[in-house]
């Protein structure tokens, strides 16, 4: 069964971009996760569409990811196909005040292109460690800026296998959500509209935000960024700190001493450690403050 499916896959996509039993800790910023049955890296929207059509026709589960910056994969791995939209679909072009980029482009690279072109408005995203596709789906934001502020339009693949362009005004973007997520669309490409700015002031702003991140976030450890969503009216990190959990650990997973909103891998954590720590943190915060913490990190596989 798996061999037959593999043979069908490599008719769609070159064999070198189809990996079997690929360990997911290589592909997540948490640096944990067991093997996926298949790990494929499409290089075009057509390859992506044909892979999803094949999976559906064969009843094969699949999951679409970027660079794994907001993902916790089970130690048991994933029974199905991981489709990674990353380096193979990461082109970036600049035309006047607009940047067109593939869903696999890193936000940091897009910010670099904006700086080079003297375009302002994307500085907030320079330090977000993710790809454009996930950032659009979840309306990523930082330091007062959000993706909804800069998007002009997004090209997506629909669950029916069609390519369509959605104007920014129809994306229904809110806190960590959008119509893209709600309707199961897959981002392929995005047009970002910025404003002409002064190169030096753009560079200074990016540097200022970089220094803030370095001083306040545990960037020296593997993590998935902010582990929990921000509860309305509160800050997750403050609630966790107030519950006495700064530095609290389970196995190799730890609540960061530098920023309590981050769960980090101290070097030898397994996914089960991270999952258990997240559970204990949620329970303790609920006991202490009565506030429910919801995970921002997406979980994949059986825990």
């Amino acid at each position: 069964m798996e061999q037959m499916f593999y043979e069908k896959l490599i008719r769609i996509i070159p064999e070198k971009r189809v990996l079997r039993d690929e360990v997911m800790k290589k592909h997540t910023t948490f640096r944990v996760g067991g093997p996926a049955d298949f790990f494929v890296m499409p290089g075009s929207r057509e390859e992506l569409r044909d892979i999803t059509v094949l999976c559906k026709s064969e009843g094969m589960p699949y999951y679409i990811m970027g660079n794994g910056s907001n993902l916790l994969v089970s130690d048991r791995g994933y029974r199905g196909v991981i489709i990674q939209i990353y380096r193979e679909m990461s082109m970036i072009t600049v035309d006047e005040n607009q940047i067109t980029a593939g869903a696999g482009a890193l936000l940091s690279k897009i910010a670099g292109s904006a700086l080079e072109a003297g375009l302002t408005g994307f500085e907030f995203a320079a330090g977000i460690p993710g790809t454009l596709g996930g950032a659009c789906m979840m309306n990523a934001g930082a330091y007062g800026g959000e993706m909804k502020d800069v998007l002009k339009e997004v090209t997506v693949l629909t669950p029916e296998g069609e390519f369509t362009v959605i104007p920014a005004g129809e994306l229904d973007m809110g806190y960590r959500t959008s119509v893209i997520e709600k309707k199961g669309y897959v981002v392929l490409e995005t047009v970002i509209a910025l404003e002409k700015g002064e190169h030096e002031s753009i560079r200074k702003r990016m540097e200022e935000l970089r220094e803030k991140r370095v001083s306040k976030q545990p960037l020296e450890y593997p993590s998935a960024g902010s582990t929990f969503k921000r509860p309305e009216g509160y800050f997750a990190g403050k609630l966790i700190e107030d519950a006495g959990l700064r530095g609290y650990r389970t196995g190799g997973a730890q609540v960061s001493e530098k920023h309590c909103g981050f769960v980090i891998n101290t070097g030898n954590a397994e996914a089960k450690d991270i999952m258990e720590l997240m559970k204990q943190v949620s329970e303790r915060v609920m006991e202490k403050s009565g506030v429910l913490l919801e995970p921002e990190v997406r979980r994949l596989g059986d825990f």
Side-chain angles (χ1 to χ4, degrees):
M1 166 76 179
E2 280 201 2
Q3 184 59 31
M4 285 174 62
F5 182 80
Y6 175 74
E7 286 167 10
K8 289 177 181 177
L9 262 180
I10 61 175
R11 286 184 209 137
I12 296 170
I13 180 171
E15 196 170 355
K16 66 181 180 182
R17 290 196 264 118
V18 181
L19 307 177
R20 299 182 75 167
D21 298 318
E22 180 69 358
V23 177
M24 289 303 294
K25 70 188 299 181
K26 297 181 188 175
H27 302 284
T28 64
T29 58
F30 255 138
R31 296 289 176 258
V32 298
D37 292 341
F38 300 96
F39 186 90
V40 301
M41 296 161 277
S44 69
R45 61 178 68 183
E46 290 77 19
E47 284 182 357
L48 174 62
R49 177 196 59 204
D50 293 350
I51 292 164
T52 60
V53 167
L54 173 65
C55 288
K56 286 173 182 173
S57 68
E58 298 285 322
M60 180 69 76
Y62 67 91
Y63 183 86
I64 293 172
M65 66 174 284
N67 69 330
S69 62
N70 195 35
L71 188 62
L72 178 62
V73 181
S74 163
D75 299 313
R76 300 175 194 172
Y78 181 69
R79 304 286 69 80
V81 182
I82 297 285
I83 303 172
Q84 188 188 49
I85 302 177
Y86 190 18
R87 294 185 182 92
E88 304 294 331
M89 295 179 68
S90 61
M91 66 82 192
I92 300 170
T93 57
V94 181
D95 182 22
E96 297 292 333
N97 70 322
Q98 292 187 169
I99 297 179
T100 302
L106 288 169
L107 298 180
S108 57
K109 297 274 188 189
I110 298 169
S113 295
L115 171 62
E116 205 173 298
L119 296 176
T120 186
F122 207 73
E123 292 89 332
F124 75 91
I128 299 175
T131 56
L132 181 59
C136 292
M137 182 175 76
M138 298 304 292
N139 185 28
Y143 299 114
E146 293 177 287
M147 290 303 297
K148 71 181 180 64
D149 302 331
V150 296
L151 290 180
K152 181 181 180 186
E153 62 185 37
V154 176
T155 303
V156 301
L157 172 67
T158 70
E160 295 73 41
E162 297 169 349
F163 304 129
T164 188
V165 178
I166 307 176
E170 295 174 19
L171 290 169
D172 191 24
M173 300 182 99
Y175 177 64
R176 302 297 179 264
T177 187
S178 70
V179 77
I180 298 164
E181 181 185 32
K182 291 169 190 164
K183 295 202 172 178
Y185 296 151
V186 181
V187 178
L188 302 169
E189 186 179 287
T190 291
V191 179
I192 295 163
L194 302 173
E195 294 177 7
K196 286 290 182 187
E198 204 273 314
H199 184 277
E200 188 56 23
S201 61
I202 297 168
R203 188 195 65 75
K204 275 185 180 170
R205 179 61 178 156
M206 284 186 182
E207 183 61 26
E208 184 185 302
L209 295 182
R210 189 191 74 79
E211 285 173 9
K212 273 190 182 182
R213 283 184 183 275
V214 168
S215 66
K216 293 182 178 174
Q217 298 179 8
L219 304 180
E220 63 274 28
Y221 290 99
S223 79
S226 296
T227 308
F228 298 95
K229 293 179 182 176
R230 186 180 69 237
E232 197 169 338
Y234 299 91
F235 290 101
K238 179 74 165 60
L239 290 169
I240 295 166
E241 182 177 4
D242 290 349
L245 294 170
R246 182 183 292 277
Y248 185 78
R249 13 181 353 141
T250 300
Q254 181 181 32
V255 173
S256 167
E257 294 187 22
K258 198 171 187 181
H259 189 314
C260 291
F262 286 63
V263 167
I264 59 172
N265 177 352
T266 59
N268 61 346
E270 295 184 324
K272 65 180 181 184
D273 298 333
I274 294 168
M275 191 71 178
E276 178 60 25
L277 182 56
M278 288 170 62
K279 177 173 169 285
Q280 290 185 28
V281 166
S282 293
E283 288 172 356
R284 190 83 71 85
V285 167
M286 176 58 85
E287 284 170 18
K288 176 80 176 173
S289 63
V291 178
L292 176 65
L293 287 183
E294 291 183 58
E296 185 163 320
V297 175
R298 291 169 175 258
R299 290 153 293 177
L300 185 63
D302 295 326
F303 284 90

